[in-house]
Amino acid sequence: MNKRLKSREIKPAVRRAVENTVLIHNFDQQHDTLVDAFRAATARFGSRMAIGRRQLLSEDDELQPNGRTFKKNTYGDYQFKTFSEMETLVNNTAAGFASLGLKKGDKIALYMETRSEWMIAAHAAFRAGLTVVTVFASLGEDRVIEAIEESEAKA
């Protein structure tokens, strides 16, 4: 288990890296956290498109000239959520995390494809004060188990 101190709290809910501090920059001078920045974006751009996804319509096997078979996906049109709609989803998901007994400082492992649901779950975790541990399916079963165990994620 790696117990090296990687960040320090500089004020409630704001952490900064202990190493590589020259890489830390604010997105602007008014917002110190992603939570603050997202709230500001929602207040400013509430009715604008924030995030989109396309529905998987079909998945077909496609034979390649070398004899290998690849999956060919066909997707529908993008369906977008506005900042306000995304904010509602983030708040509801954060409330769901709280209903599971998760509290500020707990770690949550997100084991999912990188897509709009991941972004909503990550923003909900940030809103709830949780630390996000991203676990990629491409790691393979043994590495996924190791990542979850080593991270000490509660959910």
Side-chain angles (χ1 to χ4, degrees), residues 68-81:
R68 297 178 77 186
T69 301
F70 287 98
K71 296 286 184 196
K72 180 179 179 182
N73 297 335
T74 303
Y75 294 94
D77 293 334
Y78 273 96
Q79 301 297 314
F80 290 94
K81 300 281 185 202

Side-chain angles (χ1 to χ4, degrees), residues 63-137:
L63 187 62
Q64 303 297 304
N66 64 3
R68 297 178 77 186
T69 301
F70 287 98
K71 296 286 184 196
K72 180 179 179 182
N73 297 335
T74 303
Y75 294 94
D77 293 334
Y78 273 96
Q79 301 297 314
F80 290 94
K81 300 281 185 202
T82 65
F83 279 91
S84 294
E85 290 168 330
M86 187 175 165
E87 173 88 359
T88 298
L89 292 169
V90 166
N91 287 336
N92 291 344
T93 305
F97 291 154
S99 75
L100 293 172
L102 297 172
K103 53 190 175 305
K104 182 180 173 183
D106 287 345
K107 295 177 186 173
I108 183 169
L110 297 183
Y111 178 68
M112 57 178 39
E113 300 292 327
T114 305
R115 49 191 293 161
S116 60
E117 291 86 355
W118 185 95
M119 185 64 73
I120 290 164
H123 275 281
F126 303 148
R127 178 80 39 99
L130 306 174
T131 300
V132 172
V133 177
T134 302
V135 181
F136 298 101

Side-chain angles (χ1 to χ4, degrees), residues 23-34:
L23 299 177
I24 303 299
H25 298 283
N26 287 351
F27 132 147
D28 63 31
Q29 297 303 312
Q30 300 170 349
H31 308 103
D32 290 328
T33 68
L34 287 173

Side-chain angles (χ1 to χ4, degrees), residues 134-152:
T134 302
V135 181
F136 298 101
S138 61
L139 292 173
E141 186 177 342
D142 291 342
R143 295 294 172 250
V144 167
I145 292 168
E146 180 181 333
I148 292 170
E149 288 176 350
E150 186 168 322
S151 73
E152 298 178 340

